Amino acid sequence: MATAMNVTSACFYLESNRRSVHGVRVVASKNFSVSKTEEDKVKLGASDLKVSRLGLGAWSWGDTGYWNNSEWDDAKTKAAKSAFDVSIDGGITLFDTAEVYGSWLLNGAVNSETILGSFIKERKQKDPEVEVAVATKFAALPWRLGRQSVVKALKDSLSRLGLSSVELYQLHWPGIWGNEGYIDGLGDAVEQGLVKAVGVSNYDESKLRNAYKKLKERGVPLAANQVNYSLIYRQPEENGVKAACDELGVTLIAYSPMAQGVLTGKYTPENPPSGPRGKIYTPEFLTKLQPLLKRIKEVGQSYSKTNTQVILNWLLAQENVLPIPGAKNAQQAEEFAGALGWRLTSEEINELRSLAQDIIPLGFAQTIGK
C-alpha cells in the first residue's frame, strides 16, 4: 500500500477547494417511468458511443494493495467472473478497468485488465454476439513523456485484454508535465482505430476545459471525465466540474458511487471496514453517518429498494452522470440493476443531499478513491 500511496500523492490531482453548488439538476416524480430501451443505453458525451446506463468498476479485481485483504485467489476470481456474467445478463455491459489496477506498481497480484480479458474471451466463446464495452486508462506516470507513450500504453492494455480496440480510453490522472502530449496521444489513438471514444479522469474544471478544447481542434470529442462522486463526496458539484461537464456535453462517470461500500449500510461503528478503508471510514465517521443511512433505508423501503439502489438512483437523477460501482460477486452485481427503471422524487433527492451536506470522509481527497 505504501507504493500505491506514493504513486497517488505524486500523480493524482484531486481538487480540494470548496465552492457553492450551482446548477445541479434533478429528475423528479415518484411515478417517473421510461422504456427499457431508453434506460438501457446512454450516449457517452458527444461521441457516437452508446453504453449501458450503469457500468461496473473492476478496480478490486486482482488487487491486493487496497482491496481483498491483501490476497487474491481462485475463489475471488470465480466470484468476479460471476459478477461479470450477472452484470451482462442484467444489461450492464460497460466495464471500467485500468492498467494500474492489480498491477505490480500498486502491489497487486493479477492485472485487472488480464482478468477482464479472460472473462470476455470465455463469454464470447459461449455467445459470440454478446455485447461488452470496455473502458480502460493510461497511467500518467512521471517518466512517461509525449503522445507516443499513450498509444504504446493502450496497445499494451489491448494485449492484456486480448482485444483489438476498446470503447473508451481515459487519462487516469493529469500528468505532472507533458499533459498536452497526452491529449495528443488520445487523438492519435482515435485516428488509429484503437478506441471509439476518449476521456479523462480526476481532471479539475480548468484541465477539463483545456483537454476538451485541444481535442475539439482535432475534431475529436471529449466523451467523459471520470471523477469521485457520491452522496457524501459531492466535490464535482462544488468545484465546477459537474457544471462544466454539463455545459460541454461531457459525461461525468462517477467512481466510488457507494463511497467504497459505506453507503450500503453494511458497516457500522462497531464493524468498520478493514484495511486502508478503515483509516478513512473510522468508527467516529460511521457514527456521524448513521442518521443519513437511516433515512436512505426508509426511502428505499417506500420503493422496495435497497440502500445501494437508492444511492445509485440518487446519482442517476443528477443527469449526465454514469455511475460505475464495483462488484466482487454476483449478488452485488445483481443488486445494481435494481437502481434502474425508477426515480426518486426531487424532494427526496434534495433531502438526502441536505442530510449529507456536512458529511465528508476524513482525508478522502488525499486518498485513492477509485
Side-chain angles (χ1 to χ4, degrees):
M1 188 59 196
T3 302
M5 296 307 294
N6 288 338
V7 172
T8 303
S9 60
C11 302
F12 276 73
Y13 183 93
L14 291 172
E15 178 65 44
S16 60
N17 293 328
R18 300 176 63 83
R19 301 207 301 233
S20 59
V21 178
H22 298 289
V24 177
R25 298 172 295 168
V26 297
V27 178
S29 178
K30 207 171 238 185
N31 296 318
F32 183 88
S33 64
V34 294
S35 73
K36 191 175 189 300
T37 300
E38 289 174 328
E39 194 66 71
D40 277 351
K41 295 288 182 182
V42 61
K43 196 173 181 182
L44 208 57
S47 74
D48 294 328
L49 178 63
K50 289 187 176 181
V51 297
S52 54
R53 192 71 181 83
L54 277 173
L56 195 77
W59 174 27
S60 68
W61 293 359
D63 178 79
T64 59
Y66 193 83
W67 300 98
N68 304 309
N69 295 320
S70 300
E71 62 180 25
W72 185 262
D73 53 27
D74 289 343
K76 288 184 172 64
T77 299
K78 290 178 181 178
K81 177 62 165 60
S82 296
F84 172 84
D85 285 327
V86 167
S87 295
I88 290 178
D89 293 340
I92 297 174
T93 56
L94 173 65
F95 297 87
D96 180 83
T97 183
E99 62 176 330
V100 296
Y101 293 168
S103 75
W104 63 268
L105 184 67
L106 296 186
N107 297 327
V110 184
N111 188 280
S112 174
E113 291 176 325
T114 302
I115 293 173
L116 177 58
S118 69
F119 293 168
I120 294 172
K121 180 180 179 180
E122 183 177 340
R123 181 74 184 224
K124 284 186 174 293
Q125 287 174 341
K126 297 178 181 178
D127 181 6
E129 301 302 317
V130 68
E131 177 186 336
V132 182
V134 175
T136 191
K137 310 181 195 71
F138 167 82
L141 302 168
W143 54 86
R144 282 181 162 171
L145 303 174
R147 63 204 298 170
Q148 69 281 357
S149 65
V150 175
V151 174
K152 181 182 183 303
L154 175 53
K155 289 180 178 179
D156 289 341
S157 287
L158 292 174
S159 178
R160 285 186 291 270
L161 287 159
L163 301 172
S164 59
S165 67
V166 291
E167 279 64 35
L168 177 65
Y169 196 51
Q170 305 151 96
L171 302 180
H172 206 150
W173 60 85
I176 298 175
W177 52 70
N179 217 50
E180 295 261 329
Y182 294 156
I183 302 299
D184 283 330
L186 290 181
D188 294 343
V190 173
E191 292 176 0
Q192 293 180 31
L194 300 175
V195 62
K196 295 178 182 177
V198 293
V200 293
S201 180
N202 295 307
Y203 271 46
D204 66 10
E205 180 185 356
S206 175
K207 288 182 172 61
L208 171 67
R209 291 184 181 278
N210 288 339
Y212 174 88
K213 180 180 179 182
K214 190 167 181 61
L215 285 169
K216 187 177 181 180
E217 291 171 354
R218 295 186 61 172
V220 176
L222 179 65
N225 184 19
Q226 185 176 143
V227 295
N228 182 4
Y229 187 27
S230 71
L231 179 58
I232 60 170
Y233 193 81
R234 298 172 308 284
Q235 285 278 25
E237 296 178 0
E238 301 161 352
N239 61 17
V241 166
K242 175 67 167 63
C245 285
D246 292 345
E247 173 193 337
L248 300 174
V250 175
T251 298
L252 191 156
I253 298 178
Y255 70 74
S256 291
M258 301 179 297
Q260 300 184 12
V262 297
L263 286 176
T264 66
K266 66 184 292 185
Y267 299 112
T268 65
E270 297 75 30
N271 178 41
S274 60
R277 285 182 297 162
K279 297 179 181 179
I280 305 169
Y281 304 110
T282 63
E284 292 78 13
F285 172 81
L286 291 168
T287 297
K288 188 176 182 180
L289 191 62
Q290 293 311 300
L292 174 62
L293 292 178
K294 180 176 182 292
R295 184 56 185 146
I296 291 172
K297 184 176 181 179
E298 291 171 350
V299 171
Q301 288 174 338
S302 70
Y303 293 92
S304 297
K305 297 293 181 180
T306 66
N307 279 31
T308 294
Q309 292 162 347
V310 169
I311 57 183
L312 289 176
N313 192 273
W314 186 91
L315 281 173
L316 290 167
Q318 307 310 311
E319 295 188 7
N320 194 36
V321 175
L322 195 164
I324 50 168
K328 295 181 180 180
N329 55 55
Q331 182 179 1
Q332 292 174 344
E334 186 175 11
E335 187 176 14
F336 297 157
L340 299 170
W342 61 286
R343 286 291 185 271
L344 295 165
T345 67
S346 57
E347 291 79 12
E348 290 163 340
I349 292 164
N350 292 331
E351 179 190 7
L352 292 178
R353 179 183 284 109
S354 179
L355 287 172
Q357 196 67 39
D358 297 322
I359 301 175
I360 304 276
L362 177 65
F364 196 76
Q366 287 75 43
T367 307
I368 293 179
K370 295 180 83 167

